Amino acid sequence: MPDADWAASANWDWPTPHIVALEVVAADIDAYNHVNNSVYLSWFDSAAWSHSAALGIPLEECTRIRRGMAAHRAEIDYQRAAVLGDRVSVATWIVSTDNKLRVERRFQVRRAPDGETLARARTDYVCINLDSGRACRMPESFANSYVTTTGVSGPRGTG
């Protein structure tokens, strides 16, 4: 089964994921010959930006209105190592929002095509004013777009 088909049909922790497919490259590898921990943060950032764009809030819109969602807190559970040449799928979901200031995303990284979960993460975001760097109320476009992912009421498990 091609990776894209596998990713779409995989039994993810949460329903209806937004998925970004990536391949581990030499620059991702550290002295232990596996993907460096910091690379996962980059992958999560890529998935979050891709999802935001799909929701109608691309980077260009954030810079135009001078508002953005900034990571406030991140937790990552590393379960298996990714190595050079691995193809991975990074999924994200919005699992909660107060529609005023905060959004919580979850992430899951799975190796394609065997489906092994490599990492899970949670990141709390806060809306900020890009000029002052201070927290501020979400613009209406954010509140309308950053809604809990359809079907999310709790994880399916840890599969």
Side-chain angles (χ1 to χ4, degrees):
M1 175 182 301
D3 291 348
D5 294 339
W6 166 85
S9 66
N11 186 24
W12 294 95
D13 287 351
W14 302 79
T16 60
H18 178 85
I19 301 167
V20 174
L22 302 165
E23 185 167 340
V24 176
V25 297
D28 298 334
I29 304 300
D30 63 17
Y32 294 158
N33 288 321
H34 65 237
V35 171
N36 186 275
N37 296 352
S38 66
V39 173
Y40 288 84
L41 288 170
S42 176
W43 290 350
F44 301 148
D45 193 52
S46 293
W49 275 114
S50 174
H51 190 213
S52 291
L55 295 173
I57 306 175
L59 176 60
E60 298 79 17
E61 176 63 7
C62 294
T63 57
R64 185 186 71 76
I65 65 172
R66 308 305 300 152
R67 297 293 183 271
M69 298 303 293
H72 175 69
R73 182 172 195 273
E75 289 178 29
I76 304 172
D77 295 319
Y78 301 98
Q79 297 177 265
R80 301 272 188 271
V83 297
L84 185 63
D86 276 351
R87 294 178 322 279
V88 297
S89 292
V90 181
T92 189
W93 304 262
I94 294 174
V95 299
S96 69
T97 179
D98 65 6
N99 294 110
K100 296 174 188 162
L101 182 68
R102 300 179 187 280
V103 169
E104 178 188 345
R105 281 187 179 277
R106 296 290 175 106
F107 299 90
Q108 183 179 2
V109 179
R110 297 180 82 172
R111 184 175 42 237
D114 70 3
E116 186 75 32
T117 294
L118 306 180
R120 290 183 172 89
R122 169 192 167 176
T123 303
D124 296 327
Y125 294 86
V126 175
C127 186
I128 63 166
N129 177 310
L130 298 182
D131 295 320
S132 69
R134 294 187 170 277
C136 66
R137 187 174 184 87
M138 284 183 195
E140 187 176 338
S141 61
F142 283 29
N144 290 337
S145 296
Y146 289 128
V147 297
T148 303
T149 302
T150 302
V152 169
S153 61
R156 292 182 178 160
T158 57

